[in-house]
Amino acid sequence: MCGIVGYVGYRHVLPILLDGLRRLEYRGYDSAGVAWLQDGSLHRVRCEGKLDNLARLLNGLQDVPSSIGIGHTRWATHGEPSEANAHPHTDCTGSLVVVHNGIIENCYSLRRQLQREGHIFKSETDTEVLAHLIERYMDGDLVQAVRDALMEVEGSFALGVLWQQDPDILVAARRQSPLVLGSTEDEGFLASDIPALLPYTRDVVFLDDGEMAVLSRDRIEISRIDSGRTIIKGPQTISWDASMAEKAGYRHFMLKEIYEQPQAVLNTYRGRIVPDIGEVSLAEVEIGLSPQVIRGLKRIVLLACGTSWHAGLVARYWIERWVGLPVEVDLASEFRYRHLLVDKTVLTIPISQSGETADTLAGLRKAKELASPVISICNVVGSTITRESDGTIYTHAGPEIGVASTKAFTSQMAALYVLALYLGQIRGRLSRTDLRGKLSALVDVPEMLENGLESWHERAKELADTFYTCSDFLYIGRNINFPIALEGALKLKEISYIHAEGYAAGEMKHGPIALIDRDMPVVAIVPQDHVYEKMLSNVEEVRTRRGIVIALGIDGDRGLARVAQHVISVPQPRDPDVNPFLYTVPLQLLAYEIALAKGCDVDQPRNLAKSVTVE
Ligand code: M6R
């Protein structure tokens, strides 16, 4: 987590650093800082809290005559959020600064050694160790000193280094934390993520693990950290533009991204399906996953964290039925430490919006070591997970900035829906008629979402007014909508800090029903599908115990209206397999409006960061 930026060029550096940090603030926001070279000396401004605090401190400095600098927005790992712990960190001389994203795992032993050698530490961070370590190896050559220092470091890093004595270059390096470089004819940029570069360039180069780069005004030179061997890499052109990473008049990124879902879902299946014929084509996975490999598969493992894991849980229901293979859906943080029974007959599908989640990446690597073919579902083109997969199905959701994942989730489900049909098609499990039916149902989704958004939003506002003071919520669903209950609960807890639990409704009698009382709303997902009657019974049971039910069910469902005090109407699709798309969006809006009513910071909830690049 944490966002880092760096610039070397001809423009005033501070507005560029600040703008870049704003675009990365979703990665961490407990403190921030910048450093720049001006008239041969290094300047540094840091503070605790959000970027607005830093912007206030920099007010009036926009035009300082400097065109090289680095910046950081922090998500604390070592040392509490404070000015002293904010990056950039310096060495003892104060002439070298470092910004860092990642964790230096051997920081305590390195720190002790360096202190014994006389280095004076001013913060509690692991990052400061890097500054002193580079200082230890400094012999007039910044690049070599960084190289030597990094050879001693265990753990993960994406870093930017600036040294007063070499005023025309920035040094960057990466291991297990994302870092992207950009350039124009006479400028060089570094950043943790693409949105920071979009206002300036769409031609980017992703650093790989174990690589470092020297950025100057007219070139970027990449080499291996260990051997110094030069690496030649062409730029990749990103199709996103800067406005896609802005709020476009919405009050929050999260709201904008909720409203973008019809388009995100459509973009994800477009070009991959022909509903009239009943055909799915996924050219992007054919190299890594040939029809022969697909036919020989014995099992499928879906691997992810958080919301992406919920998308995997939904996909299990589709894959089991359409592909006819056993499916495991694992939390990546658990998978990576299990005794894995995975081999070349097991397809691994990591799911990740960012493509940089540390646990998902580690799980992917373990699966690959065991010869499993790996096809990822990812939103960020060129991210580490995509680079290490045998193939990727990109969700074309556009940049997701709100920390709470919304459009990434629905577009992940769209990608998984299409993938499941593709696998079923290749394995001969689905007839053309089946495929036509399932694809047409998916094609209906964007319009159904579009038509529902405004009314769901209005209903969410009303319900939020009534319920925002509650301290606990229960979300229940069955079968393919059980993961939607989990996702609804996660959305509420992460942005409103209200305790919320998602449960399989059938589990109610095994414990959670004891919680039911007048003060705890139960959000029940009750579409008219094959478990409708069962869900109605669960709702009845809550009512009988004087519980309050907010039910989501189809328009005009009188049976449901009789048992639930509050109803959110959702249209009936032609196939219940697309219900997860339709029932997700009202729950996102409910969480959003409740968080707003509570006065929470919706886009940057406390303690969270968008991209979890450390374990
Ligand atoms: O980038 P990823 O999809 O790998 O991220 C996974 C989770 O960190 C993410 O979904 C997280 O749970 C979100 N805060 C959920 O809204």
Side-chain angles (χ1 to χ4, degrees), residues 407-439:
K407 64 176 178 174
F409 178 63
T410 40
S411 59
Q412 283 167 345
M413 289 197 294
L416 287 160
Y417 187 101
V418 169
L419 176 61
L421 291 176
Y422 177 75
L423 297 175
Q425 168 185 287
I426 303 274
R427 287 173 65 89
R429 297 265 315 183
L430 297 170
S431 67
R432 289 272 176 202
T433 315
D434 294 333
L435 281 158
R436 272 199 294 270
K438 297 294 173 195
L439 291 174

PDB file of all heavy atoms in Angstrom, residues 407-439:
ATOM      1  N   LYS A 407     -17.575  -1.413  -9.071  1.00  0.00           N
ATOM      2  CA  LYS A 407     -17.662  -1.835 -10.473  1.00  0.00           C
ATOM      3  C   LYS A 407     -16.656  -2.943 -10.786  1.00  0.00           C
ATOM      4  O   LYS A 407     -16.867  -3.737 -11.701  1.00  0.00           O
ATOM      5  CB  LYS A 407     -17.463  -0.644 -11.415  1.00  0.00           C
ATOM      6  CG  LYS A 407     -16.105   0.023 -11.350  1.00  0.00           C
ATOM      7  CD  LYS A 407     -15.988   1.118 -12.398  1.00  0.00           C
ATOM      8  CE  LYS A 407     -14.655   1.835 -12.303  1.00  0.00           C
ATOM      9  NZ  LYS A 407     -14.445   2.793 -13.381  1.00  0.00           N
ATOM     10  N   ALA A 408     -15.587  -3.010 -10.015  1.00  0.00           N
ATOM     11  CA  ALA A 408     -14.640  -4.114 -10.237  1.00  0.00           C
ATOM     12  C   ALA A 408     -15.344  -5.435  -9.955  1.00  0.00           C
ATOM     13  O   ALA A 408     -15.152  -6.419 -10.664  1.00  0.00           O
ATOM     14  CB  ALA A 408     -13.423  -3.962  -9.348  1.00  0.00           C
ATOM     15  N   PHE A 409     -16.183  -5.443  -8.909  1.00  0.00           N
ATOM     16  CA  PHE A 409     -16.866  -6.681  -8.513  1.00  0.00           C
ATOM     17  C   PHE A 409     -17.828  -7.151  -9.600  1.00  0.00           C
ATOM     18  O   PHE A 409     -17.790  -8.311 -10.021  1.00  0.00           O
ATOM     19  CB  PHE A 409     -17.614  -6.436  -7.201  1.00  0.00           C
ATOM     20  CG  PHE A 409     -18.397  -7.622  -6.705  1.00  0.00           C
ATOM     21  CD1 PHE A 409     -17.752  -8.803  -6.357  1.00  0.00           C
ATOM     22  CD2 PHE A 409     -19.775  -7.565  -6.583  1.00  0.00           C
ATOM     23  CE1 PHE A 409     -18.471  -9.907  -5.896  1.00  0.00           C
ATOM     24  CE2 PHE A 409     -20.503  -8.658  -6.124  1.00  0.00           C
ATOM     25  CZ  PHE A 409     -19.849  -9.831  -5.781  1.00  0.00           C
ATOM     26  N   THR A 410     -18.691  -6.254 -10.063  1.00  0.00           N
ATOM     27  CA  THR A 410     -19.679  -6.698 -11.062  1.00  0.00           C
ATOM     28  C   THR A 410     -18.991  -7.074 -12.381  1.00  0.00           C
ATOM     29  O   THR A 410     -19.410  -7.996 -13.067  1.00  0.00           O
ATOM     30  CB  THR A 410     -20.777  -5.632 -11.284  1.00  0.00           C
ATOM     31  OG1 THR A 410     -20.174  -4.339 -11.276  1.00  0.00           O
ATOM     32  CG2 THR A 410     -21.832  -5.700 -10.219  1.00  0.00           C
ATOM     33  N   SER A 411     -17.902  -6.369 -12.701  1.00  0.00           N
ATOM     34  CA  SER A 411     -17.238  -6.742 -13.951  1.00  0.00           C
ATOM     35  C   SER A 411     -16.423  -8.027 -13.781  1.00  0.00           C
ATOM     36  O   SER A 411     -16.280  -8.798 -14.727  1.00  0.00           O
ATOM     37  CB  SER A 411     -16.404  -5.588 -14.506  1.00  0.00           C
ATOM     38  OG  SER A 411     -15.446  -5.209 -13.587  1.00  0.00           O
ATOM     39  N   GLN A 412     -15.936  -8.289 -12.569  1.00  0.00           N
ATOM     40  CA  GLN A 412     -15.289  -9.596 -12.337  1.00  0.00           C
ATOM     41  C   GLN A 412     -16.319 -10.712 -12.519  1.00  0.00           C
ATOM     42  O   GLN A 412     -16.028 -11.750 -13.118  1.00  0.00           O
ATOM     43  CB  GLN A 412     -14.741  -9.671 -10.904  1.00  0.00           C
ATOM     44  CG  GLN A 412     -13.453  -8.906 -10.695  1.00  0.00           C
ATOM     45  CD  GLN A 412     -13.112  -8.729  -9.219  1.00  0.00           C
ATOM     46  OE1 GLN A 412     -13.939  -8.928  -8.330  1.00  0.00           O
ATOM     47  NE2 GLN A 412     -11.881  -8.335  -8.950  1.00  0.00           N
ATOM     48  N   MET A 413     -17.525 -10.468 -11.980  1.00  0.00           N
ATOM     49  CA  MET A 413     -18.561 -11.497 -12.160  1.00  0.00           C
ATOM     50  C   MET A 413     -18.862 -11.689 -13.641  1.00  0.00           C
ATOM     51  O   MET A 413     -19.043 -12.821 -14.102  1.00  0.00           O
ATOM     52  CB  MET A 413     -19.831 -11.126 -11.385  1.00  0.00           C
ATOM     53  CG  MET A 413     -19.676 -11.241  -9.879  1.00  0.00           C
ATOM     54  SD  MET A 413     -21.242 -11.283  -9.008  1.00  0.00           S
ATOM     55  CE  MET A 413     -21.904  -9.662  -9.301  1.00  0.00           C
ATOM     56  N   ALA A 414     -18.882 -10.587 -14.397  1.00  0.00           N
ATOM     57  CA  ALA A 414     -19.161 -10.708 -15.842  1.00  0.00           C
ATOM     58  C   ALA A 414     -18.072 -11.533 -16.525  1.00  0.00           C
ATOM     59  O   ALA A 414     -18.354 -12.406 -17.355  1.00  0.00           O
ATOM     60  CB  ALA A 414     -19.272  -9.322 -16.472  1.00  0.00           C
ATOM     61  N   ALA A 415     -16.817 -11.277 -16.159  1.00  0.00           N
ATOM     62  CA  ALA A 415     -15.706 -12.020 -16.769  1.00  0.00           C
ATOM     63  C   ALA A 415     -15.790 -13.501 -16.396  1.00  0.00           C
ATOM     64  O   ALA A 415     -15.562 -14.383 -17.230  1.00  0.00           O
ATOM     65  CB  ALA A 415     -14.375 -11.420 -16.322  1.00  0.00           C
ATOM     66  N   LEU A 416     -16.132 -13.766 -15.144  1.00  0.00           N
ATOM     67  CA  LEU A 416     -16.196 -15.160 -14.694  1.00  0.00           C
ATOM     68  C   LEU A 416     -17.385 -15.892 -15.325  1.00  0.00           C
ATOM     69  O   LEU A 416     -17.301 -17.085 -15.636  1.00  0.00           O
ATOM     70  CB  LEU A 416     -16.296 -15.189 -13.159  1.00  0.00           C
ATOM     71  CG  LEU A 416     -14.978 -14.827 -12.451  1.00  0.00           C
ATOM     72  CD1 LEU A 416     -15.235 -14.388 -11.013  1.00  0.00           C
ATOM     73  CD2 LEU A 416     -14.005 -16.008 -12.475  1.00  0.00           C
ATOM     74  N   TYR A 417     -18.467 -15.170 -15.518  1.00  0.00           N
ATOM     75  CA  TYR A 417     -19.663 -15.743 -16.165  1.00  0.00           C
ATOM     76  C   TYR A 417     -19.289 -16.187 -17.577  1.00  0.00           C
ATOM     77  O   TYR A 417     -19.582 -17.303 -18.010  1.00  0.00           O
ATOM     78  CB  TYR A 417     -20.728 -14.647 -16.180  1.00  0.00           C
ATOM     79  CG  TYR A 417     -22.122 -15.023 -16.637  1.00  0.00           C
ATOM     80  CD1 TYR A 417     -23.137 -15.246 -15.707  1.00  0.00           C
ATOM     81  CD2 TYR A 417     -22.464 -15.088 -17.988  1.00  0.00           C
ATOM     82  CE1 TYR A 417     -24.434 -15.524 -16.112  1.00  0.00           C
ATOM     83  CE2 TYR A 417     -23.748 -15.375 -18.400  1.00  0.00           C
ATOM     84  CZ  TYR A 417     -24.735 -15.599 -17.466  1.00  0.00           C
ATOM     85  OH  TYR A 417     -26.028 -15.880 -17.875  1.00  0.00           O
ATOM     86  N   VAL A 418     -18.584 -15.282 -18.276  1.00  0.00           N
ATOM     87  CA  VAL A 418     -18.185 -15.576 -19.656  1.00  0.00           C
ATOM     88  C   VAL A 418     -17.168 -16.728 -19.673  1.00  0.00           C
ATOM     89  O   VAL A 418     -17.254 -17.641 -20.500  1.00  0.00           O
ATOM     90  CB  VAL A 418     -17.596 -14.293 -20.309  1.00  0.00           C
ATOM     91  CG1 VAL A 418     -16.932 -14.611 -21.631  1.00  0.00           C
ATOM     92  CG2 VAL A 418     -18.687 -13.246 -20.498  1.00  0.00           C
ATOM     93  N   LEU A 419     -16.244 -16.713 -18.732  1.00  0.00           N
ATOM     94  CA  LEU A 419     -15.237 -17.776 -18.680  1.00  0.00           C
ATOM     95  C   LEU A 419     -15.893 -19.139 -18.393  1.00  0.00           C
ATOM     96  O   LEU A 419     -15.551 -20.154 -19.017  1.00  0.00           O
ATOM     97  CB  LEU A 419     -14.179 -17.457 -17.611  1.00  0.00           C
ATOM     98  CG  LEU A 419     -13.115 -18.544 -17.373  1.00  0.00           C
ATOM     99  CD1 LEU A 419     -12.293 -18.807 -18.638  1.00  0.00           C
ATOM    100  CD2 LEU A 419     -12.171 -18.153 -16.228  1.00  0.00           C
ATOM    101  N   ALA A 420     -16.836 -19.128 -17.469  1.00  0.00           N
ATOM    102  CA  ALA A 420     -17.509 -20.392 -17.135  1.00  0.00           C
ATOM    103  C   ALA A 420     -18.234 -20.945 -18.368  1.00  0.00           C
ATOM    104  O   ALA A 420     -18.170 -22.142 -18.665  1.00  0.00           O
ATOM    105  CB  ALA A 420     -18.495 -20.168 -15.988  1.00  0.00           C
ATOM    106  N   LEU A 421     -18.897 -20.060 -19.106  1.00  0.00           N
ATOM    107  CA  LEU A 421     -19.590 -20.520 -20.321  1.00  0.00           C
ATOM    108  C   LEU A 421     -18.588 -21.030 -21.351  1.00  0.00           C
ATOM    109  O   LEU A 421     -18.820 -22.035 -22.027  1.00  0.00           O
ATOM    110  CB  LEU A 421     -20.430 -19.380 -20.918  1.00  0.00           C
ATOM    111  CG  LEU A 421     -21.656 -18.966 -20.094  1.00  0.00           C
ATOM    112  CD1 LEU A 421     -22.347 -17.773 -20.733  1.00  0.00           C
ATOM    113  CD2 LEU A 421     -22.650 -20.126 -19.970  1.00  0.00           C
ATOM    114  N   TYR A 422     -17.467 -20.339 -21.445  1.00  0.00           N
ATOM    115  CA  TYR A 422     -16.429 -20.740 -22.401  1.00  0.00           C
ATOM    116  C   TYR A 422     -15.920 -22.150 -22.074  1.00  0.00           C
ATOM    117  O   TYR A 422     -15.818 -23.016 -22.951  1.00  0.00           O
ATOM    118  CB  TYR A 422     -15.293 -19.718 -22.336  1.00  0.00           C
ATOM    119  CG  TYR A 422     -14.100 -20.025 -23.204  1.00  0.00           C
ATOM    120  CD1 TYR A 422     -14.159 -19.846 -24.585  1.00  0.00           C
ATOM    121  CD2 TYR A 422     -12.907 -20.482 -22.641  1.00  0.00           C
ATOM    122  CE1 TYR A 422     -13.050 -20.112 -25.391  1.00  0.00           C
ATOM    123  CE2 TYR A 422     -11.806 -20.747 -23.440  1.00  0.00           C
ATOM    124  CZ  TYR A 422     -11.881 -20.555 -24.802  1.00  0.00           C
ATOM    125  OH  TYR A 422     -10.786 -20.821 -25.586  1.00  0.00           O
ATOM    126  N   LEU A 423     -15.636 -22.380 -20.804  1.00  0.00           N
ATOM    127  CA  LEU A 423     -15.125 -23.693 -20.403  1.00  0.00           C
ATOM    128  C   LEU A 423     -16.190 -24.770 -20.657  1.00  0.00           C
ATOM    129  O   LEU A 423     -15.871 -25.865 -21.141  1.00  0.00           O
ATOM    130  CB  LEU A 423     -14.710 -23.684 -18.927  1.00  0.00           C
ATOM    131  CG  LEU A 423     -13.563 -22.722 -18.552  1.00  0.00           C
ATOM    132  CD1 LEU A 423     -13.345 -22.719 -17.043  1.00  0.00           C
ATOM    133  CD2 LEU A 423     -12.261 -23.102 -19.267  1.00  0.00           C
ATOM    134  N   GLY A 424     -17.441 -24.431 -20.361  1.00  0.00           N
ATOM    135  CA  GLY A 424     -18.538 -25.372 -20.591  1.00  0.00           C
ATOM    136  C   GLY A 424     -18.704 -25.670 -22.067  1.00  0.00           C
ATOM    137  O   GLY A 424     -18.976 -26.812 -22.473  1.00  0.00           O
ATOM    138  N   GLN A 425     -18.508 -24.636 -22.878  1.00  0.00           N
ATOM    139  CA  GLN A 425     -18.622 -24.787 -24.340  1.00  0.00           C
ATOM    140  C   GLN A 425     -17.520 -25.733 -24.853  1.00  0.00           C
ATOM    141  O   GLN A 425     -17.784 -26.673 -25.586  1.00  0.00           O
ATOM    142  CB  GLN A 425     -18.489 -23.392 -24.958  1.00  0.00           C
ATOM    143  CG  GLN A 425     -18.305 -23.291 -26.447  1.00  0.00           C
ATOM    144  CD  GLN A 425     -18.073 -21.817 -26.852  1.00  0.00           C
ATOM    145  OE1 GLN A 425     -19.004 -21.025 -26.825  1.00  0.00           O
ATOM    146  NE2 GLN A 425     -16.860 -21.461 -27.205  1.00  0.00           N
ATOM    147  N   ILE A 426     -16.276 -25.478 -24.407  1.00  0.00           N
ATOM    148  CA  ILE A 426     -15.156 -26.297 -24.899  1.00  0.00           C
ATOM    149  C   ILE A 426     -15.287 -27.738 -24.408  1.00  0.00           C
ATOM    150  O   ILE A 426     -14.970 -28.686 -25.115  1.00  0.00           O
ATOM    151  CB  ILE A 426     -13.795 -25.727 -24.406  1.00  0.00           C
ATOM    152  CG1 ILE A 426     -13.620 -24.282 -24.824  1.00  0.00           C
ATOM    153  CG2 ILE A 426     -12.620 -26.599 -24.832  1.00  0.00           C
ATOM    154  CD1 ILE A 426     -13.045 -24.048 -26.170  1.00  0.00           C
ATOM    155  N   ARG A 427     -15.769 -27.904 -23.192  1.00  0.00           N
ATOM    156  CA  ARG A 427     -15.883 -29.264 -22.665  1.00  0.00           C
ATOM    157  C   ARG A 427     -17.166 -29.957 -23.125  1.00  0.00           C
ATOM    158  O   ARG A 427     -17.468 -31.070 -22.704  1.00  0.00           O
ATOM    159  CB  ARG A 427     -15.814 -29.242 -21.131  1.00  0.00           C
ATOM    160  CG  ARG A 427     -14.404 -28.952 -20.625  1.00  0.00           C
ATOM    161  CD  ARG A 427     -14.365 -28.774 -19.130  1.00  0.00           C
ATOM    162  NE  ARG A 427     -14.707 -29.990 -18.409  1.00  0.00           N
ATOM    163  CZ  ARG A 427     -13.843 -30.933 -18.038  1.00  0.00           C
ATOM    164  NH1 ARG A 427     -12.564 -30.770 -18.293  1.00  0.00           N
ATOM    165  NH2 ARG A 427     -14.244 -32.004 -17.391  1.00  0.00           N
ATOM    166  N   GLY A 428     -17.929 -29.274 -23.982  1.00  0.00           N
ATOM    167  CA  GLY A 428     -19.117 -29.890 -24.572  1.00  0.00           C
ATOM    168  C   GLY A 428     -20.242 -30.107 -23.574  1.00  0.00           C
ATOM    169  O   GLY A 428     -21.095 -30.969 -23.753  1.00  0.00           O
ATOM    170  N   ARG A 429     -20.267 -29.305 -22.526  1.00  0.00           N
ATOM    171  CA  ARG A 429     -21.298 -29.480 -21.501  1.00  0.00           C
ATOM    172  C   ARG A 429     -22.540 -28.637 -21.779  1.00  0.00           C
ATOM    173  O   ARG A 429     -23.550 -28.797 -21.122  1.00  0.00           O
ATOM    174  CB  ARG A 429     -20.751 -29.051 -20.128  1.00  0.00           C
ATOM    175  CG  ARG A 429     -19.595 -29.874 -19.647  1.00  0.00           C
ATOM    176  CD  ARG A 429     -20.028 -30.979 -18.757  1.00  0.00           C
ATOM    177  NE  ARG A 429     -21.006 -30.574 -17.748  1.00  0.00           N
ATOM    178  CZ  ARG A 429     -21.477 -31.390 -16.827  1.00  0.00           C
ATOM    179  NH1 ARG A 429     -21.077 -32.634 -16.796  1.00  0.00           N
ATOM    180  NH2 ARG A 429     -22.362 -30.969 -15.929  1.00  0.00           N
ATOM    181  N   LEU A 430     -22.408 -27.679 -22.682  1.00  0.00           N
ATOM    182  CA  LEU A 430     -23.520 -26.752 -22.915  1.00  0.00           C
ATOM    183  C   LEU A 430     -23.926 -26.804 -24.381  1.00  0.00           C
ATOM    184  O   LEU A 430     -23.068 -26.771 -25.272  1.00  0.00           O
ATOM    185  CB  LEU A 430     -23.107 -25.318 -22.563  1.00  0.00           C
ATOM    186  CG  LEU A 430     -22.747 -25.041 -21.106  1.00  0.00           C
ATOM    187  CD1 LEU A 430     -22.123 -23.661 -20.966  1.00  0.00           C
ATOM    188  CD2 LEU A 430     -23.987 -25.129 -20.228  1.00  0.00           C
ATOM    189  N   SER A 431     -25.220 -26.890 -24.612  1.00  0.00           N
ATOM    190  CA  SER A 431     -25.713 -26.861 -26.002  1.00  0.00           C
ATOM    191  C   SER A 431     -25.740 -25.413 -26.476  1.00  0.00           C
ATOM    192  O   SER A 431     -25.655 -24.482 -25.669  1.00  0.00           O
ATOM    193  CB  SER A 431     -27.120 -27.445 -26.058  1.00  0.00           C
ATOM    194  OG  SER A 431     -27.987 -26.562 -25.371  1.00  0.00           O
ATOM    195  N   ARG A 432     -25.890 -25.229 -27.755  1.00  0.00           N
ATOM    196  CA  ARG A 432     -26.048 -23.869 -28.304  1.00  0.00           C
ATOM    197  C   ARG A 432     -27.231 -23.165 -27.643  1.00  0.00           C
ATOM    198  O   ARG A 432     -27.193 -21.983 -27.348  1.00  0.00           O
ATOM    199  CB  ARG A 432     -26.307 -23.923 -29.812  1.00  0.00           C
ATOM    200  CG  ARG A 432     -25.093 -24.342 -30.596  1.00  0.00           C
ATOM    201  CD  ARG A 432     -24.249 -23.129 -30.945  1.00  0.00           C
ATOM    202  NE  ARG A 432     -23.057 -23.604 -31.613  1.00  0.00           N
ATOM    203  CZ  ARG A 432     -21.930 -22.961 -31.719  1.00  0.00           C
ATOM    204  NH1 ARG A 432     -21.797 -21.765 -31.179  1.00  0.00           N
ATOM    205  NH2 ARG A 432     -20.912 -23.445 -32.354  1.00  0.00           N
ATOM    206  N   THR A 433     -28.292 -23.920 -27.441  1.00  0.00           N
ATOM    207  CA  THR A 433     -29.493 -23.311 -26.830  1.00  0.00           C
ATOM    208  C   THR A 433     -29.173 -22.844 -25.408  1.00  0.00           C
ATOM    209  O   THR A 433     -29.550 -21.736 -25.011  1.00  0.00           O
ATOM    210  CB  THR A 433     -30.644 -24.344 -26.791  1.00  0.00           C
ATOM    211  OG1 THR A 433     -30.686 -24.972 -28.051  1.00  0.00           O
ATOM    212  CG2 THR A 433     -31.957 -23.719 -26.441  1.00  0.00           C
ATOM    213  N   ASP A 434     -28.449 -23.690 -24.674  1.00  0.00           N
ATOM    214  CA  ASP A 434     -28.057 -23.275 -23.308  1.00  0.00           C
ATOM    215  C   ASP A 434     -27.255 -21.984 -23.388  1.00  0.00           C
ATOM    216  O   ASP A 434     -27.494 -21.022 -22.652  1.00  0.00           O
ATOM    217  CB  ASP A 434     -27.147 -24.324 -22.645  1.00  0.00           C
ATOM    218  CG  ASP A 434     -27.844 -25.642 -22.394  1.00  0.00           C
ATOM    219  OD1 ASP A 434     -29.070 -25.617 -22.240  1.00  0.00           O
ATOM    220  OD2 ASP A 434     -27.142 -26.689 -22.354  1.00  0.00           O
ATOM    221  N   LEU A 435     -26.268 -21.994 -24.288  1.00  0.00           N
ATOM    222  CA  LEU A 435     -25.382 -20.827 -24.388  1.00  0.00           C
ATOM    223  C   LEU A 435     -26.152 -19.583 -24.787  1.00  0.00           C
ATOM    224  O   LEU A 435     -25.950 -18.503 -24.223  1.00  0.00           O
ATOM    225  CB  LEU A 435     -24.260 -21.109 -25.394  1.00  0.00           C
ATOM    226  CG  LEU A 435     -23.119 -21.980 -24.846  1.00  0.00           C
ATOM    227  CD1 LEU A 435     -22.348 -22.642 -25.964  1.00  0.00           C
ATOM    228  CD2 LEU A 435     -22.181 -21.136 -23.989  1.00  0.00           C
ATOM    229  N   ARG A 436     -27.046 -19.757 -25.761  1.00  0.00           N
ATOM    230  CA  ARG A 436     -27.839 -18.590 -26.193  1.00  0.00           C
ATOM    231  C   ARG A 436     -28.617 -18.010 -25.027  1.00  0.00           C
ATOM    232  O   ARG A 436     -28.651 -16.809 -24.807  1.00  0.00           O
ATOM    233  CB  ARG A 436     -28.787 -18.987 -27.337  1.00  0.00           C
ATOM    234  CG  ARG A 436     -28.144 -18.857 -28.714  1.00  0.00           C
ATOM    235  CD  ARG A 436     -29.203 -18.808 -29.812  1.00  0.00           C
ATOM    236  NE  ARG A 436     -29.936 -20.050 -29.912  1.00  0.00           N
ATOM    237  CZ  ARG A 436     -29.589 -21.068 -30.688  1.00  0.00           C
ATOM    238  NH1 ARG A 436     -28.518 -20.977 -31.458  1.00  0.00           N
ATOM    239  NH2 ARG A 436     -30.292 -22.174 -30.708  1.00  0.00           N
ATOM    240  N   GLY A 437     -29.234 -18.890 -24.253  1.00  0.00           N
ATOM    241  CA  GLY A 437     -30.049 -18.443 -23.115  1.00  0.00           C
ATOM    242  C   GLY A 437     -29.207 -17.711 -22.073  1.00  0.00           C
ATOM    243  O   GLY A 437     -29.563 -16.610 -21.628  1.00  0.00           O
ATOM    244  N   LYS A 438     -28.074 -18.307 -21.718  1.00  0.00           N
ATOM    245  CA  LYS A 438     -27.237 -17.701 -20.665  1.00  0.00           C
ATOM    246  C   LYS A 438     -26.650 -16.376 -21.151  1.00  0.00           C
ATOM    247  O   LYS A 438     -26.550 -15.406 -20.389  1.00  0.00           O
ATOM    248  CB  LYS A 438     -26.099 -18.647 -20.254  1.00  0.00           C
ATOM    249  CG  LYS A 438     -26.551 -19.946 -19.638  1.00  0.00           C
ATOM    250  CD  LYS A 438     -27.253 -19.747 -18.301  1.00  0.00           C
ATOM    251  CE  LYS A 438     -27.850 -21.028 -17.777  1.00  0.00           C
ATOM    252  NZ  LYS A 438     -28.821 -20.799 -16.676  1.00  0.00           N
ATOM    253  N   LEU A 439     -26.244 -16.344 -22.419  1.00  0.00           N
ATOM    254  CA  LEU A 439     -25.635 -15.106 -22.932  1.00  0.00           C
ATOM    255  C   LEU A 439     -26.676 -13.996 -23.051  1.00  0.00           C
ATOM    256  O   LEU A 439     -26.403 -12.836 -22.728  1.00  0.00           O
ATOM    257  CB  LEU A 439     -24.969 -15.369 -24.290  1.00  0.00           C
ATOM    258  CG  LEU A 439     -23.714 -16.255 -24.220  1.00  0.00           C
ATOM    259  CD1 LEU A 439     -23.196 -16.599 -25.603  1.00  0.00           C
ATOM    260  CD2 LEU A 439     -22.618 -15.560 -23.410  1.00  0.00           C
TER     261      LEU A 439
END
